[in-house]
Amino acid sequence: MKVVSQVLVALLCSAGVAGCLSPEEPSGQLNTALSETAAAVTDGASVERTVLPPHDVHAVNAGGDAAGGFTADDYFTQGDVFSNVSQPVNTTDVYLAGPPEIYSDARQGGQFGYSFPGLTPGINYAVVLHFAELYFSLPGQRRFNVSLNGRVYTNIDIVSLAGGPFRATTLLYFVRADANGTINVDFSRGANDQPMVNGIEVRVIE
């Protein structure tokens, strides 16, 4: 498992990914979260096949009903449901894209979170966050923070990552389950407006 994850790190570093850490450094190993989008991965399809088999421990459609292998929204605290079906969300060539149905609804709010139980304590999992901007149209209008078991990533901008509204994008992180076998994904306000997420997966790394 460590070797496979280091292969992913090496691929991302060779692609010139900003903030990529060397697998030789302690902070670059599995317990460090790796943040990626499709645009930053030169060969995303082969990386996906090699590193992330289709084995979800959890897959939730944030703010929506069950769809395409994702369960209805669950494991959340706080936040509100938002949806916009005025136009379809484009998922073409999106790394680790979920079923199109999950991107037309979302959970949002000033502060909310998900707590995924039933994991093996101390084991690393791949956490895939699914996003599509359903309200704003320009970069910088929505910028928010995500905390994964206490490690914070700041000012995530969906429009910038996806290249526009109504376009899907994903962020991939490796996160170690805590002593209770839980991964907590918490959202909070950043520089502008409020956080939004369309879906979350917790995958086994094999």
Side-chain angles (χ1 to χ4, degrees):
M1 184 165 57
K2 176 178 177 181
V3 171
V4 171
S5 298
Q6 289 186 351
V7 168
L8 177 59
V9 175
L11 284 169
L12 297 176
C13 288
S14 66
V17 173
C20 185
L21 298 173
S22 167
E24 301 304 320
E25 302 172 15
S27 58
Q29 294 176 2
L30 273 175
N31 61 330
T32 297
L34 253 177
S35 169
E36 272 326 306
T37 64
V41 180
T42 55
D43 189 14
S46 65
V47 171
E48 178 182 3
R49 286 195 299 270
T50 301
V51 178
L52 296 181
H55 184 179
D56 286 323
V57 182
H58 298 288
V60 298
N61 178 14
D65 298 325
F70 282 57
T71 66
D73 203 3
D74 201 359
Y75 305 111
F76 62 85
T77 55
Q78 299 182 295
D80 302 307
V81 171
F82 180 80
S83 66
N84 186 347
V85 294
S86 63
Q87 59 180 291
V89 172
N90 185 353
T91 62
T92 303
D93 295 328
V94 174
Y95 179 54
L96 300 175
E101 299 92 329
I102 73 169
Y103 295 103
S104 294
D105 45 54
R107 179 159 295 278
Q108 65 175 14
Q111 185 169 335
F112 63 93
Y114 286 79
S115 184
F116 295 102
L119 308 175
T120 303
I123 294 298
N124 290 276
Y125 292 83
V127 175
V128 184
L129 304 183
H130 296 266
F131 300 105
E133 181 54 66
L134 304 176
Y135 185 79
F136 293 113
S137 58
L138 298 176
Q141 291 180 298
R142 185 193 305 277
R143 299 177 70 193
F144 58 90
N145 307 327
V146 177
S147 171
L148 300 166
N149 274 3
R151 182 166 185 137
V152 180
Y153 298 84
T154 60
N155 289 322
I156 293 169
D157 186 328
I158 300 172
V159 172
S160 290
L161 291 173
F166 293 95
R167 288 186 54 84
T169 189
T170 60
L171 289 176
L172 165 64
Y173 302 87
F174 292 141
V175 185
R176 178 171 293 173
D178 67 16
N180 297 314
T182 300
I183 288 178
N184 296 298
V185 184
D186 296 305
F187 298 84
S188 61
R189 292 183 186 272
N192 271 325
D193 207 72
Q194 61 185 1
M196 168 187 282
V197 67
N198 302 78
I200 303 176
E201 294 177 83
V202 178
R203 293 188 179 192
V204 171
I205 302 171
E206 295 178 354

